[in-house]
Amino acid sequence: MELNDKGLGRDQLAYGRVLAVITHTGLAALVILFGVYVLGLLDPHVAHHRLPDLWKLPAGQFLEATGIAPGWGWTALLHRADILTLVGIAALAFASVPCLAAIMPIYWRARRMSLFVICALEIGVIVLAASGLVTGGH
C-alpha cells in the first residue's frame, strides 16, 4: 500500500478521520448531555442527594438500589438526565467499530484479505461483547 509524504497509508488516514469525527462528536455529546444533567433540564433517575451513599456500593448493589437493569438496561431510562449522559460514553466505547468498517473496503480493494478478515473479526468480537450474550461468569 502506498504511503503519503508523511509516511501514512490510506488505511491509517481513513481510520484517523473517522476516529476524529467520533471522538469530537462523543466529547461534544458528553459536554452537552452533562449540561442537561447539571442544569436540571431533565429529571435524573437517581436523586443527587442519594449519590454519595450509592457511589460506594459494588456495581450489582448499585444497580439493585437504583432500579437499573444490568447490561443494556440503562437504555430504557434514556429519558432521565443522569442516564442520558451515558450516550456519549457508549459512543466513545464503540468508536473502533466504524473506524474498522471504514478501512475494510481499502483492504478489500488492495486484496489484503488477512487484514480485511482481522477487521471483520474485531468488529464481531466487539459487537458480541457488547451484546451481553457472553459473560465472564461474574
Side-chain angles (χ1 to χ4, degrees), residues 34-54:
F34 185 70
V36 167
Y37 173 62
V38 169
L39 295 173
L41 301 177
L42 291 174
D43 291 331
H45 179 67
V46 178
H48 295 131
H49 71 276
R50 291 187 60 206
L51 289 175
D53 294 326
L54 295 170

Side-chain angles (χ1 to χ4, degrees), residues 9-134:
R10 286 192 341 247
D11 55 341
Q12 293 171 313
L13 292 170
Y15 192 102
R17 277 193 300 271
V18 174
L19 184 60
V21 168
I22 292 169
T23 54
H24 288 103
T25 303
L27 180 59
L30 284 172
V31 170
I32 291 166
L33 296 173
F34 185 70
V36 167
Y37 173 62
V38 169
L39 295 173
L41 301 177
L42 291 174
D43 291 331
H45 179 67
V46 178
H48 295 131
H49 71 276
R50 291 187 60 206
L51 289 175
D53 294 326
L54 295 170
W55 281 336
K56 62 186 172 192
L57 297 176
Q61 291 177 12
F62 176 86
L63 293 175
E64 186 177 323
T66 58
I68 300 172
W72 288 94
W74 62 274
T75 58
L77 300 169
L78 286 175
H79 61 285
R80 300 298 197 158
D82 51 345
I83 305 300
L84 188 59
T85 61
L86 298 175
V87 169
I89 296 168
L92 293 173
F94 201 64
S96 60
V97 170
C99 294
L100 290 166
I103 62 175
M104 286 176 69
I106 295 169
Y107 292 144
W108 182 266
R109 285 190 298 274
R111 298 195 181 351
R112 299 189 72 183
M113 294 307 149
S114 59
L115 293 174
F116 179 87
V117 170
I118 288 169
C119 289
L121 291 172
E122 285 186 49
I123 290 171
V125 168
I126 292 167
V127 170
L128 181 63
S131 74
L133 295 173
V134 180

